[in-house]
Amino acid sequence: MKAINKFDFSPNFWYNRNMTRRDNLMKLKELIQLRQILGALANQKMSIKSSYSVARFISQTNDAEVIYNQKIQELINEFGIRDEQGNFKQDENGNISIKDGVEQECNNRIAEIDNFEVETPELTIVEKDIDNLDSKIELTPAELFILLENIK
């Protein structure tokens, strides 16, 4: 029995991947991860340029996140194991357990969703704004890696 883990933040994911940001295209999974990071930054004081860019990016990519979550939920409904009460079983890490024998198909379908490229609005974050973030905001190196190509 394998579990579905929606977001993979393991070091191997970050160091062995190709960041695909051609023009304004981004893989759907990368978009979701970037939105999570920007959500944490959204209440921080930044320059008008950065604030506007972050707000516009979050607003204009909302539909993509809704669709992503719907598609992942469809896979959970199709491949997830339910208990007697109809709730999804979870492993010790809180991940949804999936049916035996369909792990590869499930992983392939998740990869297809994750790797789907979507058009995104331009995102520009001024470097001094990152330097001036509230000290309560902590970014991991992996999260900062996602932001790097958007820092000017």
Side-chain angles (χ1 to χ4, degrees), residues 40-96:
L41 300 178
N43 292 320
Q44 296 298 305
K45 292 190 185 280
M46 295 183 191
S47 67
I48 295 295
K49 182 176 183 175
S50 293
S51 295
Y52 176 77
S53 185
V54 168
R56 189 184 75 200
F57 188 91
I58 290 171
S59 173
Q60 291 183 1
T61 58
N62 189 56
D63 288 347
E65 183 169 15
V66 168
I67 291 168
Y68 178 85
N69 290 333
Q70 287 173 345
K71 293 299 181 185
I72 293 296
Q73 188 60 51
E74 288 173 13
L75 293 180
I76 291 170
N77 290 336
E78 182 176 345
F79 295 110
I81 298 174
R82 295 184 185 261
D83 62 19
E84 299 79 31
Q85 290 80 31
N87 300 317
F88 289 106
K89 290 185 178 182
Q90 297 181 351
D91 65 12
E92 61 278 354
N93 296 322
N95 297 317
I96 307 269

Side-chain angles (χ1 to χ4, degrees), residues 91-106:
D91 65 12
E92 61 278 354
N93 296 322
N95 297 317
I96 307 269
S97 299
I98 62 172
K99 301 169 188 170
D100 288 330
V102 294
E103 295 92 345
Q104 189 60 47
E105 180 183 353
C106 182

Side-chain angles (χ1 to χ4, degrees), residues 4-36:
I4 295 176
N5 184 356
K6 247 168 88 166
F7 301 106
D8 181 2
F9 290 107
S10 66
N12 288 339
F13 172 76
W14 296 107
Y15 296 115
N16 295 329
R17 73 190 183 113
N18 295 321
M19 185 72 149
T20 42
R21 182 76 194 251
R22 295 188 318 272
D23 298 313
N24 285 343
L25 292 178
M26 182 181 277
K27 289 183 179 182
L28 194 49
K29 182 175 184 173
E30 293 168 351
L31 172 69
I32 301 306
Q33 291 168 335
L34 179 57
R35 283 178 50 87
Q36 289 176 337

